[in-house]
Amino acid sequence: ARQIGLLIMSGSLDAQYREILNLSRQMLEAGKAQEWDSLLALEKKRQDLFSTLPAVSRTPHQMGLSNTLREILSCDGELMDKVEHWLQHARILLRMPSGHDDSQS
C-alpha cells in the first residue's frame, strides 16, 4: 500500500513539474515577444505551483526529475538573459533626450 501511495504521489509530482516546465516555456516565449503582462501572470501561476510542491528529497524517483528541473532552469536562464537585454535597451532609450530622431544621423 505504501508503494502504491508513493507511485500516486510521484505521478502527481511529475505532473506538477511538467506543468511548471510548461509555464516556464510560456514565460520564455512571452519574454521573447516582450509581452511583460503575460510574463508576470505566468510567473504568478508558476509561483503558486511551486508553493504547493513538497520538499524535495534525494529519493531515486525525484532524482529522475533532474531533466525536467534542468530544462526549467534553462528556460529561466534564457529568459533572464532576454529580460536583462531588454532592460539595458530600455535604460539607453530612457536616457535619450526627448525629440531625438535616429533617422537624421
Side-chain angles (χ1 to χ4, degrees):
R2 183 170 183 263
Q3 281 185 325
I4 292 172
L6 287 175
L7 287 174
I8 291 170
M9 187 179 99
S10 67
S12 174
L13 195 59
D14 283 344
Q16 286 177 288
Y17 276 109
R18 281 193 303 274
E19 180 60 23
I20 288 170
L21 176 56
N22 183 44
L23 288 169
S24 298
R25 290 173 178 156
Q26 290 177 42
M27 288 170 58
L28 180 56
E29 292 306 311
K32 287 178 179 178
Q34 297 182 14
E35 296 173 355
W36 308 119
D37 291 337
S38 294
L39 176 64
L40 293 174
L42 290 165
E43 172 60 11
K44 170 73 172 99
K45 286 181 184 178
R46 193 175 79 154
Q47 283 300 322
D48 290 346
L49 275 175
F50 269 125
S51 70
T52 64
L53 291 172
V56 176
S57 63
R58 304 285 290 173
T59 65
H61 171 72
Q62 288 176 338
M63 289 174 65
L65 293 173
S66 62
N67 288 337
T68 302
L69 294 172
R70 269 193 224 95
E71 192 169 348
I72 290 168
L73 290 172
S74 175
C75 286
D76 284 358
E78 190 175 342
L79 178 59
M80 292 309 296
D81 288 344
K82 299 285 181 199
V83 169
E84 184 58 34
H85 177 76
W86 184 85
L87 285 174
Q88 287 174 355
H89 184 70
R91 286 184 196 115
I92 291 168
L93 290 176
L94 290 172
R95 284 189 228 138
M96 286 183 181
S98 60
H100 179 77
D101 186 0
D102 285 339
S103 65
Q104 295 177 357
S105 301

